[in-house]
Amino acid sequence: MKETLIIILFFFTIPHNGQGSLPEDRFGSPLDIPIILAGTFGELRSNHFHAGIDIKTQQRQGLAVYSIADGSVSRIKISPWGYGKALYITHPNGYTSVYAHLQKFSPEIEAYIKKIQYQKKSYEVEVFPDPSEIILRRGELIAYSGNTGGSSGPHLHFEIRSTATEMPINPMLYGFSVADARNPTLLKAYAYPLSKQARVNQSNEKIAIKFTKQPDGSFLADKLTALGEIGFGVNTYDRQDKAINQNGVYSVKQIVNGKLYTDYNFETFSFSESRYINTLIDYAHFSTYRERIQKCFREPANQLSIYKTLYNDGKVEVRDGLSYNVEIHINDLAGNLTKLIIPVEGKNEAVVNFKPQDQTADYIIAKKPNNFDLGGAKVYFPANTFYEDFYIDLKKGKDTVTIHDNKVAAHQNFTITFDVSQYSQEDRKQLFIGRLDENFTPSYSSTYKRGTTFTTRTRNLGTYTLVKDSIAPTIRPKNFKNKQWLSNYNYLSLTIADDLSGIDSYSATLNGEWILMEYEPKTNTITYNFDDMILDKKECELNIEVIDNVRNKSSFNATFFRK
């Protein structure tokens, strides 16, 4: 137990969606070090909002992780991807805590899950223990921090969810202390003409807003002239004390002539709506410049529940001869505020900067299904694949087709089907559908083969082609050699790699018995821990088989000795 290491400095009791008020009993800290954040709740990520907080672990792995309250383990998931090694604890107060990217679990939980991995003969497992199987007390050791799954560096990903709704809730609302005396940073701001006849500074496409910092710390924009329905967007981030990370802000408000037009915050959201992040940001701008502009207005397809107030969907109707004072308030959870003031004058000026009209032969109606024949392939877009109607750029080909570009976001999967009847059955075995990047390098897109048709389901627009992979994966030992004595070794490590279609599966045996090897794709490494030794033999025969995504197979055999 670690009761003496739990620190709670303050506590909120505010209502939020579907959960009533926050619990009056206090949660403990998941770590016994000061909380410094590498990522905040609701932070804008690729195609989703960040569902927890990322707590720095001093650039190292192996820090003790503790249960924040009494409860029982309700889910354990191990994967080379996503959350990596993750633990879910259900608490009697109606909340579930989540701990991800773990290095390993506590001895009791490690033994429990390893037994299941050996039963299933799989590193990847997901189990849902009965509430009575693994009971925990607040402050009890549950795991050690790590860097598994999609983590890009050592840290603890930590979440609090409503057990009933499974909606994640901002953990910082529960009293965890993070030093933060800095105002959010405003990088850029933009104005958007939204209606047909709208214009800003004689432009009917979005313009960058120039602004300067004032003595009181606020920002004042140069006066805009406008007419019609317009909207605003900001590129912003927050930075806490003791960290250089550019984290997400907590809330954005837009006030026009004293009236609240827009108010959204990251208190909670639903996983099912997270992909609508692509309507909150200017997706085309992001795909081109890698900058996320948060819109202060709501697009028609936007179904996010983060909005507390929306007047006229946050759009400002500017009329000739009238003046408008627009304020955008950007807050972090500590109450620090950055304010941008934008004076707007309604003026009927001629448009001199016109938005390019990208018209093609094919037009997508977002609410309807769309089929297109591209020669060697066909593409099918189900209804509501996209957020809005647009002209789509399609290029036909025999074994390579182009489906628009990455400036348009797809909300759900669409289907690409290639005709492979011109290839022999032997060639088809080594073919897959690949998506080409800007350097024309293919990446594997999950390919379903049925007779003379290959199909892939994807959300990514771009260029797709048929790729042949005739080269088997490589397997190389990292920390041992054949015929070596390994009595003082704690583990075996090997590199497995496939440069084209990618690794599909691997398996390993020791003297004919299946052994657990942990796969870390970031380093292309599989590792066997000798704590799992299941055979008491001096001479050991190791066999490993690796299969890529078109079923090319490689084998590795080695003998080693242990006392």
Side-chain angles (χ1 to χ4, degrees), residues 166-199:
E166 296 188 355
M167 292 175 66
I169 307 160
N170 195 326
M172 300 312 299
L173 297 172
Y174 295 83
F176 300 109
S177 176
V178 175
D180 185 1
R182 301 180 181 183
N183 293 336
T185 297
L186 176 64
L187 294 173
K188 296 179 181 179
Y190 292 86
Y192 291 78
L194 299 176
S195 59
K196 261 188 177 180
Q197 302 303 318
R199 73 286 309 268

Side-chain angles (χ1 to χ4, degrees), residues 79 100 160 194 267 327 367-368 517 542 563:
S79 170
I160 294 177
L194 299 176
E267 181 183 312
E327 293 187 9
K367 292 184 178 180
K368 295 183 178 180
M517 300 205 80
L542 176 68
K563 289 183 181 179

Side-chain angles (χ1 to χ4, degrees), residues 510-531:
L510 192 59
N511 291 340
E513 297 287 338
W514 185 89
I515 57 172
L516 175 65
M517 300 205 80
E518 299 196 3
Y519 180 36
E520 177 48 79
K522 291 191 288 290
T523 57
N524 295 322
T525 301
I526 54 174
T527 302
Y528 169 69
N529 193 319
F530 278 123
D531 290 343

Side-chain angles (χ1 to χ4, degrees), residues 63-77:
L63 273 63
V65 179
Y66 307 105
S67 176
I68 63 168
D70 294 354
S72 61
V73 175
S74 53
R75 182 182 179 192
I76 307 170
K77 185 174 182 180

Side-chain angles (χ1 to χ4, degrees), residues 192-195 197-199 227-231 312 315-318:
Y192 291 78
L194 299 176
S195 59
Q197 302 303 318
R199 73 286 309 268
L227 193 71
E229 196 172 62
I230 67 172
N312 196 36
K315 300 169 184 176
V316 184
E317 187 68 43
V318 178

